[in-house]
Every structure is written in C-alpha cells, then in structure tokens.
Amino acid sequence: MRLIKNTNVNFVGNFKLWATISATLVVLGWLLFLFKGLNYGVDFAGGTEIQLEVNGINTNQLRKSLKDFGKIEIQKFEGKDNEFLIRMKNISVANPKQVDNFISKVKATFSDVKILKTHFDSQVGDRVELWLSQSVDKSKLEKLAKENSLPVTGTIEYSRVGERHIYKIMLQGLTDKIMTTVRSKLSKNAKLMRVELVGPKVGKRLRVDAFEAIIYSLIAILIYIAFRFNYQFAPGAVIALIHDVSITVGVFSLFSIPFDLTIVAALLTIVGYSLNDTIVVYDRIRENFNNEKKGKTLADRINKSINETLSRTLLTSLTTLIVLVILLIFGGGIIRGFAFAMTFGVIVGTYSSVFIASPVTILIDNYMKSKKAKTA
Amino acid sequence: MDKSWNVRAIFVGLLIVVATIMLLPTVLNRTAHPWLEKINDGISLGLDLKGGIHFVLNVDVDKAVQDKVERRVDEITMRLDENKIKYSKVVADPVAPKIYVTLDPSADVSKFKKEVVDYFGDIKEIGNSGNVYTLALRKKSIDFIKTNSVEQAIETLRSRIDELGLKEPVVEKQGKTSILIQLPGYKDIDRARRIIGQTAQLQFKIEAEDKDPLSAYANNLPAGITLLPARGQTADGSLLTYKYAKSKDKKALLAFLKGKAPKGTEFLLEEIDYANGEKEYRSHLLYKKSYITGDMLTDARVSINQQRNRPYVSMAFDRNGARIFEQVTGKFVKRKMAIVLDNKVKSAPVIQTKIAGGHAVITLNSMKSFNDTLKEAKDLALVLRAGSLPAPVTFEENRTVGPSLGQDSIAKGKLSIEIGFLAVVIFMVIYYGTAGLIANIALLLNLLFVLAGMAMLGATLTFPGIAGIVLTVGMAVDANVIIFERIREELDMGKGVLKALELGYDKAFSAIFDANITTALTAFILWNFGSGPIRGFAITLLLGILSSMFTAVFVTRVIFHYMMKLDFFRKLSF
C-alpha cells in the first residue's frame, strides 16, 4: 500500500503564510505563559495533592466535609466516578502562628514556669515540644492546644531529665487528618490512593532544574547540528524547537492543565522527536544540496527534499500518534497530561519540521549571500 | 561474503539468547529458583507501581554549623575559667559564623592564644580590635561538620527505619544535603513521619547490676535464648554477679523479657553485628532514670593513645552537663553506664573514677584488632554526636502510592503496550506487506532488548517508564520506515530489488543515525535532571532508541539477506 507518492507540494513558496501563522501562535503562547501563567502542579508549586477513593458521594459533599481545612481544591479524578483529587497549598495542619499563639498561652497560664526550649517543624508538623522548668498538668496543656486549634491526637509524652520537664504534644499530619475527617463524616471505607506532598523550597528548585534541563538540551542540540551539518542548518532546527515548545506550553496555559514533572519530560521528548523529523529532512537536503537534477535554485532543491521525505515524515508521525492516542485513552488519569502533551507536541513538531525548519535555512542562506554581496 | 553474513546472523542469535537469559529473573519466580539471583536481580518496580512511601529530607547543615559555634562559646568560657584568664564577654554571631571574645585589659593574651584558641584545633583568630578577639571556625572543620551532619542523620535514620521491619527500604544521600528514603509497601504515612522526624534521643543510664531477675528462669528458657553470666562491682568494691539474655531472635527475646524488669528498671537491647552479617541481641537491665541527655554533650571524637596505640573516644560536656556528670560518676563509680541512643544500648563502659571538668574518655575492648577497635570508636563517636548535635532535618517531599493504585497503573500500562503494539504491527503489515512483517520482528526484538537492558542495568520500571515503552513501540518502526521509503524511491527509479535494498540501507543510515542521536541526547539530559519516575521514563526511552537503531538497521538487514538467498525476493514487497 502506498498513500503518498511523488508529491510536489510547494512548501517553501508559501513560507510567508506559514511563518505568519506560526509566529502568531508562538507569540500567543508566550503571552499566555507570561500573563495567564501555568497551572503548576504540586511538583513545582509546592503543596499537597491527595487522591482518594470514596464510594457513593459527589464532590460537593466532599468539599463540605473538608471546609475546615481552608482553601482547598477538589475535583473528580479523570475517568473515575468514585475517586477524587484534593489539592491544597498547605503541607501540614498546624502552622507556626498557631504554635506561637499556643506557646504564649502556655506562658500566660503557667506564669511561674520557665519555658527552656520549644520545638516545632512546620514541614513535619507531627508534634510541639516544650521544655519546662517544672512539671505542669497534662490535661491543661491539651486543653490549651485544642483552644488554639492545634490538631492534637490526645497523646502527650512526658519525660524528665534532671531539672528539665519535656512535654511532647503529638499532632496529626495533614493526610491523616483529612482521611479521619472523610472517614468519620462520609464513609468508613474511604481509601487513600496517592499522596504527593512537596515543600515550597523543593518546588522552586525543581522549577529551576526543569528550566535548565530544557535550555541545556537546546544548547546540546544546537552544537550537535552545527557540528554534524552545515552551521546554517542549526538556527532553523532550534527555531522549530522553540516554536514547538512555546506553542505546547501556550496550550497548557490556555487550558490550565496541571504542569508537573512528567510534562517537562514530555516537552523534552517533543524536542527530541521534532528534531528527529527535522533531521531526516535536513539529511535529504544535505544530499541534494548541490544536485542540479533536484532543482535549479536552493529553494527548489529544499522543496524537493521535503517532498521526497514527506511520506516518511507522515508515516512515522502516524505510528507515534497511534500509540499516543492509545495511551491517552487507556493509560488512565495519572499519565493523561503527559500523553496529551506528547500527542499535541508530535503534531506541532511534524508541522514545524516541514513548514518551518527547512524554509528557515533558505532565509539564512539568502541573508548570508546578501551580506557577502555587500562586503564584495 | 556469505561468511560475514553468517557471523552476523550468529551474533543476532546470540544476542537474543543473552537477552532472554537476562530476563529470566524478572519473568520466573525467584524464590522457587534461587539460582536466578546469579544472573541479575530482575527489573524492579518503582514505588509508583508497587506502592509505598517516598520521602526526601533535607539536612539543615548551616544550622548544624551555627549550633556548633554556639556550643563553642560555652566551651571557650569554661576553658577561660580553667586557665584563670580574665574576660568580660564571649558572644557568638552564629550566622557569620564568628565568636567575639572580650578579654580583660589585664589578661594574658599569649596564654589566651595558646591555651584557648590553639586548644580547640578547629578555630582560629581572624582579627582583633583592642581587647575584642574575633574567632572563626576553620573552613576544614565547617566542611567536616556539614558532611558529618548528613552522615549522622543517615545513620540515625537507618537504624530507625530498621524498626519498621520492611523488606527493602532505601536510605541514601541525594545531592549534597538531601536524604532519600523509600519504604516499599508501607502505608502509614503519619507513623513513618513521626518515626523519621524524631530528634535523636541520646541518654546515659546506669546498669542495674545489683538486680538479677533473669537467673530464676535459667531452667525454663524458651528456644533460641541463652543466659550468660556477667560480673559487676559496687562502689565499695564488692563483686556482683548476674545474668543477661542473648538471642538472634529479637522478637522472641523481647517477649521473654516482657514484664521481668523490677520496678524502676527496664530492659533495653544491644545489637551486635557479626562480620558474616548476622545479628545478635543482648539484654541490658537499666535504671529508668536518665541522668544525662545528649544535649548536654558538646563534642565527641576519636583519638588514639600514642603509647598503647589504642583508639578511644573522648567526650566533652557543657557546664550543666559537666556538673551533673561529676555527680553521677562520683555516685556510681565502678558501675556500668549505658549509652543509649533511641532506646538502643550502644555501649556500656565502666565508670573508672569520678570525672570532673567536663571531659571524659571511653576506652574500648582491647581484645580486638586495631582496625576493629578504630571502627568501633568511630561508630560510637558518631552515635554520641548524632545524639548531641542532631542537625535539624526537614521533610521536603513525600510521595505515597497506595498498592491498589500501583496495580491499576500496571494493568493500564500493560493494556496500552499490548494495544499499541498490535495497532502498529497491523499498520506495518498493511502498509509494507512482507517487509512490514520483518519490521515487526525487529519491533518485537526491540521490546525484548529494552527489557533485557533494563534488567542488566538494574533499572527501575516506573509508570512514566511504561509510557516510554509505549512511545518506543510507536517510534521504533521509524528507522524501518526511513529505510523502506528509501527502497521504494530507489525502486521507482527503476533499480532492481537487490540493488534497491542495498542502496536503501546505505543511504538511510546517516539520517537514522543523526536523528536518533539527538533524541538520545535529550533522553540523556532528562535522565540527568530527573529523579524517580522521570528517570524511569528517560531510561526506557534511551534504551528504546539504541535498540531500535540496532534492530532496524542491523537485524532486518540480516533477515532480508537470507530471504533473498532462499529465493524469497519474488514475494518481497515494499
């Protein structure tokens, strides 16, 4: 079977039209990125994401039962009726302010007791430690903690070393607190499927890392192409890559699709994939570069090269798209963002290899010639 | 000519055999066939597939340095007092980190430099104005504190995670100051956080050698537990004998000891590691009251007694600690004092004499070789430091996947691979006929090689990794598509099948190579940047690219050659 044979489409001739469309999309992508921004997932924004399974309830019931937790985002997990996704900025129930309030209350209540040391780690949030100069009434401590809305578990550990009286007021973690709340208010059988909890510092670091990874791969590719092909090919390839990434990122911004680590992986793969297409075309251009039979002008030869490889370009994109659509349908919610980014990126990448990357080399060639003419 | 083709065919055959062998440990039941372990450990599943808890902790090394500087202030004042050097103030600027010592105008400055500054090896004077001397930690010791605090944290975390009794927990350094913890199969996040997030508890407790509750059970011992005699001494010199219990089975030992400790005492265990990897536990009966805690300790280090060439551990206490240590050692002289970290006995040296001045020395069992003793001394110093100056640890990341979700992901991944594979295979046959069939053989081999490569590298299969395999299925036929399209072009130009085949492979090679190298480049960068699941994706992508190049260019060529030989080419279609 053969679908595409001896095509002779003028890809280069209509470059201005394609360039205008592409440039508009790229600019739109950047504008969306800069002004609307990305919907960063917990990987990059920090915070907590919990996926849980509760049978026979809807999102509103879940939202109502968790209203004490402050700002919280709840949605149905894609493709499942009984699974929900909870996202929030916090990573522990107790915050340092509540703990400070509690400590000052302890000071006021037990005025003759000296507080030697306190300890609370907001990232762990598992306990408040108080080192006191005298022993105090445990139940009073617990009451004070409750009054300051600390999520006490009811356990207060006490130990004494010399003249130090150490009280450890154990607190509930965020996940635990949410699960016990859901179990008591909605359904005993609520099941925890997945938790992702990322501290704010890590989120920032991962963002920087991801950005660097994308930049590094662009640089590495630029160097490789300049080295393996003629230097005038490299700009076209890189412009095509920036084109693909910008438009894909723009789409993520437009539809507010959560942007996480797997999406960065998808972007880098798109970069590699789109380049793969571009290079096959370039390889043919390299072969036909000085071949009079393939066309009188360089533009003709480039157009011929694109046409000669068109069948391969479309076929490979087709097989890749087949598996990606299958992944999109059967892969489930966790991988959906990745599959979507890849599907979209492969389409854009194929387009850019044919309509953008190669014609740009002609522009560069013309520019170099005119420059040469001027100096001569 | 034919000979070289035979060599190629044998090479491909060998590779298939090797790859199949490499996959045996993954496919077969490893407990039923223990010999499989000799091949490799099989492809392990990532936490996102098998379920479990993943933590990343960060050790606040800067805080550890600041704490050290604050401790030094206390020690410097003690040292100034001991040497009767007059001073008005010693303060720390822990952020800088610097220490300012204001001496009395009448103070002996050279004595200060010799007896105080030089005494602490790790600090130096960096300037002075009038009577105020500025001291700073040496860079070398700052680096030491930093790397050491991460090591200490890992050490404490390992022993704590052992308590959870999991099969293959991972505790390892990640980057410079982070620690990665993976608890496969574990579900209770809050308990894990509580256990991991505890500050290390170092306590010094006195052994209750005057009590002997175990001797009564000498004739009534459960299996696997032995009673052994020990000797002690009271302060007035009279001898004490008592029995302690020993066993390889920790649970059985704890069950045996339960409820047998007299009032005011408790049984704690000491873990003894043998060179062959076996562990044994022995009981210590201790008075519950702890006199000294880790925070009173300011330093612990290993030194070597030059005359006897024996390593020992020296400890230093802060003011309050020094005072209490003097009282305790005075009261319990000749008794054993157990060093207890997180409720495990680490060592139980005998108090030889009353110790004043805040400096104590622990000498170790002299029956062992120098190197063994040195290791023991280092471990003990690490324990003491871990309990005295635990660097603050914060949780940076927690990712938990429940087992049912992991199962679900595996099922979905499998289904996607199967359907994707089938779709591509059907497409290739429809589009290229017999040649498509050959490309499909290459595709199948490609899957085999990717999985075998993962097993050989000990790579972890994650959910994004499965997505990488699905993607590879779609992308791997690319090299064959390039070749086949080229062959069709050559055929169009009127060349014969044989010639077209040869030209197709030759001319397509540069395109295949260049195109794949760049994808491999991005996959490699991704592998470098990513962690966990993303790495799993990068590795399958990378292996997929390499193996698809090999199968498409090399393997299919060999198959075509033999098909021609068998006069098959009449049926060969492109």
Side-chain angles (χ1 to χ4, degrees), chain A residues 213-225:
Chain A
I214 293 178
I215 296 296
Y216 286 150
S217 43
L218 289 181
I219 293 172
I221 285 160
L222 191 78
I223 294 171
Y224 183 78
I225 296 184

mmCIF file with all atom_site columns, all heavy atoms in Angstrom, chain A residues 213-225:
data_model
loop_
_atom_site.group_PDB
_atom_site.id
_atom_site.type_symbol
_atom_site.label_atom_id
_atom_site.label_alt_id
_atom_site.label_comp_id
_atom_site.label_asym_id
_atom_site.label_entity_id
_atom_site.label_seq_id
_atom_site.pdbx_PDB_ins_code
_atom_site.Cartn_x
_atom_site.Cartn_y
_atom_site.Cartn_z
_atom_site.occupancy
_atom_site.B_iso_or_equiv
_atom_site.pdbx_formal_charge
_atom_site.auth_seq_id
_atom_site.auth_comp_id
_atom_site.auth_asym_id
_atom_site.auth_atom_id
_atom_site.pdbx_PDB_model_num
ATOM 1   N N   . ALA A 1 213 ? 17.173 22.114 32.356 1.00 0.00 ? 213 ALA A N   1
ATOM 2   C CA  . ALA A 1 213 ? 17.220 20.908 31.527 1.00 0.00 ? 213 ALA A CA  1
ATOM 3   C C   . ALA A 1 213 ? 16.791 21.234 30.102 1.00 0.00 ? 213 ALA A C   1
ATOM 4   O O   . ALA A 1 213 ? 17.410 20.778 29.137 1.00 0.00 ? 213 ALA A O   1
ATOM 5   C CB  . ALA A 1 213 ? 16.327 19.825 32.118 1.00 0.00 ? 213 ALA A CB  1
ATOM 6   N N   . ILE A 1 214 ? 15.736 22.051 29.973 1.00 0.00 ? 214 ILE A N   1
ATOM 7   C CA  . ILE A 1 214 ? 15.257 22.407 28.632 1.00 0.00 ? 214 ILE A CA  1
ATOM 8   C C   . ILE A 1 214 ? 16.306 23.240 27.898 1.00 0.00 ? 214 ILE A C   1
ATOM 9   O O   . ILE A 1 214 ? 16.629 22.988 26.743 1.00 0.00 ? 214 ILE A O   1
ATOM 10  C CB  . ILE A 1 214 ? 13.906 23.154 28.720 1.00 0.00 ? 214 ILE A CB  1
ATOM 11  C CG1 . ILE A 1 214 ? 12.840 22.183 29.246 1.00 0.00 ? 214 ILE A CG1 1
ATOM 12  C CG2 . ILE A 1 214 ? 13.491 23.706 27.368 1.00 0.00 ? 214 ILE A CG2 1
ATOM 13  C CD1 . ILE A 1 214 ? 11.479 22.771 29.433 1.00 0.00 ? 214 ILE A CD1 1
ATOM 14  N N   . ILE A 1 215 ? 16.886 24.215 28.593 1.00 0.00 ? 215 ILE A N   1
ATOM 15  C CA  . ILE A 1 215 ? 17.905 25.068 27.974 1.00 0.00 ? 215 ILE A CA  1
ATOM 16  C C   . ILE A 1 215 ? 19.121 24.232 27.546 1.00 0.00 ? 215 ILE A C   1
ATOM 17  O O   . ILE A 1 215 ? 19.620 24.351 26.435 1.00 0.00 ? 215 ILE A O   1
ATOM 18  C CB  . ILE A 1 215 ? 18.350 26.184 28.958 1.00 0.00 ? 215 ILE A CB  1
ATOM 19  C CG1 . ILE A 1 215 ? 17.180 27.108 29.273 1.00 0.00 ? 215 ILE A CG1 1
ATOM 20  C CG2 . ILE A 1 215 ? 19.528 26.971 28.400 1.00 0.00 ? 215 ILE A CG2 1
ATOM 21  C CD1 . ILE A 1 215 ? 16.659 27.888 28.088 1.00 0.00 ? 215 ILE A CD1 1
ATOM 22  N N   . TYR A 1 216 ? 19.581 23.359 28.471 1.00 0.00 ? 216 TYR A N   1
ATOM 23  C CA  . TYR A 1 216 ? 20.742 22.528 28.158 1.00 0.00 ? 216 TYR A CA  1
ATOM 24  C C   . TYR A 1 216 ? 20.501 21.689 26.916 1.00 0.00 ? 216 TYR A C   1
ATOM 25  O O   . TYR A 1 216 ? 21.383 21.538 26.069 1.00 0.00 ? 216 TYR A O   1
ATOM 26  C CB  . TYR A 1 216 ? 21.104 21.603 29.333 1.00 0.00 ? 216 TYR A CB  1
ATOM 27  C CG  . TYR A 1 216 ? 21.759 22.317 30.472 1.00 0.00 ? 216 TYR A CG  1
ATOM 28  C CD1 . TYR A 1 216 ? 21.600 21.877 31.782 1.00 0.00 ? 216 TYR A CD1 1
ATOM 29  C CD2 . TYR A 1 216 ? 22.556 23.441 30.255 1.00 0.00 ? 216 TYR A CD2 1
ATOM 30  C CE1 . TYR A 1 216 ? 22.187 22.537 32.841 1.00 0.00 ? 216 TYR A CE1 1
ATOM 31  C CE2 . TYR A 1 216 ? 23.147 24.107 31.305 1.00 0.00 ? 216 TYR A CE2 1
ATOM 32  C CZ  . TYR A 1 216 ? 22.956 23.650 32.609 1.00 0.00 ? 216 TYR A CZ  1
ATOM 33  O OH  . TYR A 1 216 ? 23.541 24.303 33.638 1.00 0.00 ? 216 TYR A OH  1
ATOM 34  N N   . SER A 1 217 ? 19.299 21.094 26.823 1.00 0.00 ? 217 SER A N   1
ATOM 35  C CA  . SER A 1 217 ? 19.095 20.225 25.664 1.00 0.00 ? 217 SER A CA  1
ATOM 36  C C   . SER A 1 217 ? 19.065 21.041 24.382 1.00 0.00 ? 217 SER A C   1
ATOM 37  O O   . SER A 1 217 ? 19.559 20.591 23.355 1.00 0.00 ? 217 SER A O   1
ATOM 38  C CB  . SER A 1 217 ? 17.844 19.347 25.812 1.00 0.00 ? 217 SER A CB  1
ATOM 39  O OG  . SER A 1 217 ? 16.799 20.079 26.327 1.00 0.00 ? 217 SER A OG  1
ATOM 40  N N   . LEU A 1 218 ? 18.524 22.264 24.436 1.00 0.00 ? 218 LEU A N   1
ATOM 41  C CA  . LEU A 1 218 ? 18.543 23.104 23.243 1.00 0.00 ? 218 LEU A CA  1
ATOM 42  C C   . LEU A 1 218 ? 19.979 23.418 22.822 1.00 0.00 ? 218 LEU A C   1
ATOM 43  O O   . LEU A 1 218 ? 20.333 23.334 21.645 1.00 0.00 ? 218 LEU A O   1
ATOM 44  C CB  . LEU A 1 218 ? 17.766 24.403 23.477 1.00 0.00 ? 218 LEU A CB  1
ATOM 45  C CG  . LEU A 1 218 ? 16.240 24.274 23.581 1.00 0.00 ? 218 LEU A CG  1
ATOM 46  C CD1 . LEU A 1 218 ? 15.600 25.634 23.776 1.00 0.00 ? 218 LEU A CD1 1
ATOM 47  C CD2 . LEU A 1 218 ? 15.654 23.606 22.351 1.00 0.00 ? 218 LEU A CD2 1
ATOM 48  N N   . ILE A 1 219 ? 20.815 23.749 23.822 1.00 0.00 ? 219 ILE A N   1
ATOM 49  C CA  . ILE A 1 219 ? 22.215 24.077 23.513 1.00 0.00 ? 219 ILE A CA  1
ATOM 50  C C   . ILE A 1 219 ? 22.935 22.857 22.936 1.00 0.00 ? 219 ILE A C   1
ATOM 51  O O   . ILE A 1 219 ? 23.626 22.938 21.912 1.00 0.00 ? 219 ILE A O   1
ATOM 52  C CB  . ILE A 1 219 ? 22.946 24.585 24.777 1.00 0.00 ? 219 ILE A CB  1
ATOM 53  C CG1 . ILE A 1 219 ? 22.365 25.933 25.205 1.00 0.00 ? 219 ILE A CG1 1
ATOM 54  C CG2 . ILE A 1 219 ? 24.446 24.717 24.523 1.00 0.00 ? 219 ILE A CG2 1
ATOM 55  C CD1 . ILE A 1 219 ? 22.870 26.430 26.541 1.00 0.00 ? 219 ILE A CD1 1
ATOM 56  N N   . ALA A 1 220 ? 22.730 21.704 23.582 1.00 0.00 ? 220 ALA A N   1
ATOM 57  C CA  . ALA A 1 220 ? 23.402 20.484 23.125 1.00 0.00 ? 220 ALA A CA  1
ATOM 58  C C   . ALA A 1 220 ? 23.028 20.180 21.678 1.00 0.00 ? 220 ALA A C   1
ATOM 59  O O   . ALA A 1 220 ? 23.878 19.817 20.862 1.00 0.00 ? 220 ALA A O   1
ATOM 60  C CB  . ALA A 1 220 ? 23.021 19.310 24.033 1.00 0.00 ? 220 ALA A CB  1
ATOM 61  N N   . ILE A 1 221 ? 21.745 20.366 21.361 1.00 0.00 ? 221 ILE A N   1
ATOM 62  C CA  . ILE A 1 221 ? 21.264 20.087 20.006 1.00 0.00 ? 221 ILE A CA  1
ATOM 63  C C   . ILE A 1 221 ? 21.878 21.051 18.995 1.00 0.00 ? 221 ILE A C   1
ATOM 64  O O   . ILE A 1 221 ? 22.325 20.667 17.922 1.00 0.00 ? 221 ILE A O   1
ATOM 65  C CB  . ILE A 1 221 ? 19.734 20.164 19.984 1.00 0.00 ? 221 ILE A CB  1
ATOM 66  C CG1 . ILE A 1 221 ? 19.174 18.917 20.649 1.00 0.00 ? 221 ILE A CG1 1
ATOM 67  C CG2 . ILE A 1 221 ? 19.204 20.311 18.570 1.00 0.00 ? 221 ILE A CG2 1
ATOM 68  C CD1 . ILE A 1 221 ? 17.780 19.070 21.122 1.00 0.00 ? 221 ILE A CD1 1
ATOM 69  N N   . LEU A 1 222 ? 21.908 22.321 19.382 1.00 0.00 ? 222 LEU A N   1
ATOM 70  C CA  . LEU A 1 222 ? 22.488 23.349 18.525 1.00 0.00 ? 222 LEU A CA  1
ATOM 71  C C   . LEU A 1 222 ? 23.926 22.974 18.168 1.00 0.00 ? 222 LEU A C   1
ATOM 72  O O   . LEU A 1 222 ? 24.331 23.016 16.999 1.00 0.00 ? 222 LEU A O   1
ATOM 73  C CB  . LEU A 1 222 ? 22.457 24.691 19.264 1.00 0.00 ? 222 LEU A CB  1
ATOM 74  C CG  . LEU A 1 222 ? 22.776 25.918 18.449 1.00 0.00 ? 222 LEU A CG  1
ATOM 75  C CD1 . LEU A 1 222 ? 21.573 26.298 17.621 1.00 0.00 ? 222 LEU A CD1 1
ATOM 76  C CD2 . LEU A 1 222 ? 23.147 27.083 19.360 1.00 0.00 ? 222 LEU A CD2 1
ATOM 77  N N   . ILE A 1 223 ? 24.688 22.587 19.195 1.00 0.00 ? 223 ILE A N   1
ATOM 78  C CA  . ILE A 1 223 ? 26.083 22.234 18.976 1.00 0.00 ? 223 ILE A CA  1
ATOM 79  C C   . ILE A 1 223 ? 26.179 21.021 18.056 1.00 0.00 ? 223 ILE A C   1
ATOM 80  O O   . ILE A 1 223 ? 26.958 20.997 17.102 1.00 0.00 ? 223 ILE A O   1
ATOM 81  C CB  . ILE A 1 223 ? 26.796 21.935 20.316 1.00 0.00 ? 223 ILE A CB  1
ATOM 82  C CG1 . ILE A 1 223 ? 26.876 23.227 21.147 1.00 0.00 ? 223 ILE A CG1 1
ATOM 83  C CG2 . ILE A 1 223 ? 28.190 21.357 20.086 1.00 0.00 ? 223 ILE A CG2 1
ATOM 84  C CD1 . ILE A 1 223 ? 27.357 23.023 22.557 1.00 0.00 ? 223 ILE A CD1 1
ATOM 85  N N   . TYR A 1 224 ? 25.341 20.014 18.323 1.00 0.00 ? 224 TYR A N   1
ATOM 86  C CA  . TYR A 1 224 ? 25.414 18.793 17.526 1.00 0.00 ? 224 TYR A CA  1
ATOM 87  C C   . TYR A 1 224 ? 25.109 19.073 16.056 1.00 0.00 ? 224 TYR A C   1
ATOM 88  O O   . TYR A 1 224 ? 25.816 18.609 15.161 1.00 0.00 ? 224 TYR A O   1
ATOM 89  C CB  . TYR A 1 224 ? 24.458 17.725 18.063 1.00 0.00 ? 224 TYR A CB  1
ATOM 90  C CG  . TYR A 1 224 ? 24.582 16.433 17.283 1.00 0.00 ? 224 TYR A CG  1
ATOM 91  C CD1 . TYR A 1 224 ? 25.647 15.567 17.527 1.00 0.00 ? 224 TYR A CD1 1
ATOM 92  C CD2 . TYR A 1 224 ? 23.680 16.106 16.280 1.00 0.00 ? 224 TYR A CD2 1
ATOM 93  C CE1 . TYR A 1 224 ? 25.799 14.406 16.803 1.00 0.00 ? 224 TYR A CE1 1
ATOM 94  C CE2 . TYR A 1 224 ? 23.826 14.940 15.551 1.00 0.00 ? 224 TYR A CE2 1
ATOM 95  C CZ  . TYR A 1 224 ? 24.886 14.088 15.822 1.00 0.00 ? 224 TYR A CZ  1
ATOM 96  O OH  . TYR A 1 224 ? 25.038 12.942 15.097 1.00 0.00 ? 224 TYR A OH  1
ATOM 97  N N   . ILE A 1 225 ? 24.063 19.843 15.803 1.00 0.00 ? 225 ILE A N   1
ATOM 98  C CA  . ILE A 1 225 ? 23.673 20.104 14.410 1.00 0.00 ? 225 ILE A CA  1
ATOM 99  C C   . ILE A 1 225 ? 24.724 20.937 13.693 1.00 0.00 ? 225 ILE A C   1
ATOM 100 O O   . ILE A 1 225 ? 25.083 20.660 12.555 1.00 0.00 ? 225 ILE A O   1
ATOM 101 C CB  . ILE A 1 225 ? 22.306 20.802 14.357 1.00 0.00 ? 225 ILE A CB  1
ATOM 102 C CG1 . ILE A 1 225 ? 21.268 19.850 14.922 1.00 0.00 ? 225 ILE A CG1 1
ATOM 103 C CG2 . ILE A 1 225 ? 21.927 21.163 12.927 1.00 0.00 ? 225 ILE A CG2 1
ATOM 104 C CD1 . ILE A 1 225 ? 19.882 20.340 14.843 1.00 0.00 ? 225 ILE A CD1 1
#
